[in-house]
Amino acid sequence: MDVQRIIPVLGDITKQDVDAVVNAANNAMRGGGGVDGAIHRAGGPAVLDDCIRRFPQGLATGDAGWTTAGNLPAKWVIHTVGPNHAAGQRDRRLLESCYRRALEEADELGARSIAFPLISAGIYGWPKEDAIRAAVETIVASPSQVGRVALVALDEATVAAIREVLLGS
């Protein structure tokens, strides 16, 4: 994928006008804190109901799967489970797999636009600079039909850091 298709966005991932939003979920996929909680709250009970139906055993770290987006502006939520750096899960390949698997799911759905949070960079404690590099490098290296990728951040400093990595790519 061309780096120019990646756009840093300051905002709320639940309000992105894209085909699919990516949820940085936990293994159980039953809602939680951070991005996961925000997506479940904004999407409403349909998201949780679909998670329970489609993924009764949850998802493994590094994997991804889709559900309805419920009340979100997107058509789908692509849930992915990032490694919990704070708990000792520090294999960067698991983090990279989250982005690659989410793009594979997007392609299967026919999604042409997707919004990612910085997976594992919140409560899971992955160092932010490396999380940004992992996101950009993996998205660029992954073959995909997705035409527009938003990397959504909640603060301007993170958006600026994403821009800096994109310029260096």
Side-chain angles (χ1 to χ4, degrees):
M1 178 178 290
D2 186 348
V3 72
Q4 294 167 336
R5 294 184 187 178
I6 304 172
I7 304 156
V9 174
L10 176 65
D12 180 342
I13 197 155
T14 68
K15 298 186 183 323
Q16 300 305 304
D17 185 17
V18 291
D19 294 333
V21 295
V22 175
N23 180 18
N26 58 44
N27 294 102
M29 296 179 63
R30 303 300 183 256
V35 170
D36 192 22
I39 285 176
H40 277 269
R41 283 189 302 276
V47 176
L48 178 59
D49 292 346
D50 213 14
C51 282
I52 292 168
R53 183 181 64 78
R54 293 177 51 80
F55 305 98
Q57 304 303 314
L59 277 173
T61 302
D63 202 1
W66 66 272
T67 66
T68 181
N71 299 326
L72 295 169
K75 296 175 188 168
W76 303 286
V77 174
I78 298 174
H79 306 265
T80 189
V81 181
N84 188 336
H85 192 275
Q89 294 178 326
R90 299 187 176 170
D91 185 346
R92 192 174 193 248
R93 292 172 297 184
L94 289 170
L95 181 57
E96 293 164 354
S97 179
C98 292
Y99 290 97
R100 190 171 30 262
R101 286 286 301 121
L103 287 168
E104 289 169 0
E105 291 288 317
D107 282 341
E108 287 180 24
L109 292 166
R112 295 296 174 250
S113 57
I114 191 169
F116 281 97
L118 284 177
I119 298 165
S120 293
I123 59 174
Y124 279 8
W126 201 278
K128 194 174 285 188
E129 290 298 323
D130 191 51
I132 293 168
R133 282 192 302 280
V136 170
E137 290 167 7
T138 306
I139 292 166
V140 168
S142 298
S144 176
Q145 298 302 307
V146 174
R148 182 172 64 93
V149 175
L151 282 178
V152 181
L154 292 173
D155 60 84
E156 188 56 54
T158 303
V159 171
I162 293 168
R163 280 192 194 108
E164 188 174 310
V165 170
L166 287 169
L167 289 172
S169 295

